[in-house]
Amino acid sequence: MDAAQLGAVGTIVVGLAAALAAIIGQRGANRASQSGAVLGGYSTLVDNLQEERDKLRTQLAENEVKLAAAYAELSSERVGKADLLTQITVLTGENRQLRERIADLGGHPT
């Protein structure tokens, strides 16, 4: 083998090594790109989930305030109802006594 053939073989070997290095490098770049896309997608997903969680917490707090107000209103209505029932009982008893008194006095209660 003479120098020209050795140079040609060397050039071919160097070219193949460079092509192999380029292929390996491209694969590494693709992996890094895919890894970055996956991490970016994961980060976006986490951000979206955190935003949704915060919105739901806010809505829950608002609902708890509304529920407390509804319980307070119900409690006051129950107190009002109890007062009305007491007043009905008192007036019913008073009506009964008045009817008895009218009957005692010789009248006819209607």
Side-chain angles (χ1 to χ4, degrees), residues 38-85:
V38 168
L39 290 177
Y42 175 76
S43 177
T44 301
L45 179 62
V46 169
D47 289 344
N48 290 343
L49 289 173
Q50 288 175 343
E51 285 177 18
E52 185 176 349
R53 181 198 61 207
D54 293 341
K55 286 178 187 176
L56 291 175
R57 281 183 178 167
T58 301
Q59 186 178 1
L60 177 63
E62 290 171 359
N63 286 349
E64 286 177 349
V65 168
K66 289 177 185 177
L67 183 61
Y71 274 124
E73 183 179 347
L74 178 62
S75 177
S76 69
E77 287 180 6
R78 284 182 178 166
V79 168
K81 180 182 175 184
D83 289 344
L84 289 175
L85 287 173

